[in-house]
Amino acid sequence: AVAAIGLLALTILGIFLAIKFILTSAVASAEPVGPVVILQRSWKLTRGNWWRLFGFLLIFALGAIALIVAVGAVAGLLAKLLFGDVSPLSLGGLLVSVVGQLVSGCISVILFVMLARIYAQAPAQDAEVGIPSSGI
């Protein structure tokens, strides 16, 4: 019972810290600072928005999982129809793996673009964010 409570506490702490440090990749990409300052900036940028970021990640994760499962099921059915047995080291298994990894890669890119956009719109950010002028 004590181990279960300890594991639950560590999980809650891990989720809290993951949300607080979610913008570290965006800060590291945009600002020429060291690792300690990157963590401080991420902590500062997420201040007051923890629940919003948690909700965003929760909804994003649920959507990503649903998409991966749906695409995996469709790819599995197509592979079974085209190549017969879908097992490891078979052409059908390769097709399912490749399609699954392509979907996972696309989801990762979308997440990183969303995090960059969140960073650009963060209240502590000094840069102006918007649609660039076309010059017309």
Side-chain angles (χ1 to χ4, degrees), residues 7-131:
L7 185 60
L8 180 64
L10 279 176
T11 302
I12 292 171
L13 177 66
I15 291 171
F16 174 77
L17 291 176
I19 300 296
K20 290 303 280 185
F21 293 134
I22 196 166
L23 295 178
T24 53
S25 61
V27 172
S29 298
E31 300 177 15
V33 293
V36 174
V37 177
I38 289 171
L39 294 175
Q40 290 172 342
R41 282 284 290 150
S42 179
W43 192 278
K44 180 180 174 186
L45 289 171
T46 57
R47 184 178 299 139
N49 294 311
W50 191 91
W51 285 108
R52 288 182 190 151
L53 291 170
F54 176 73
F56 162 72
L57 278 182
L58 185 64
I59 292 170
F60 188 86
L62 291 175
I65 290 169
L67 181 65
I68 289 171
V69 168
V71 170
V74 170
L77 288 173
L78 286 175
K80 190 162 184 122
L81 285 174
L82 294 175
F83 305 114
D85 187 31
V86 179
S87 61
L89 301 178
S90 69
L91 193 56
L94 177 65
L95 176 70
V96 172
S97 295
V98 168
V99 169
Q101 292 306 309
L102 285 173
V103 171
S104 295
C106 291
I107 289 171
S108 296
V109 168
I110 292 169
L111 176 63
F112 291 131
V113 168
M114 292 297 295
L115 291 177
R117 194 67 195 151
I118 289 169
Y119 168 79
Q121 293 177 348
Q125 190 65 18
D126 297 332
E128 182 179 322
V129 177
I131 300 171

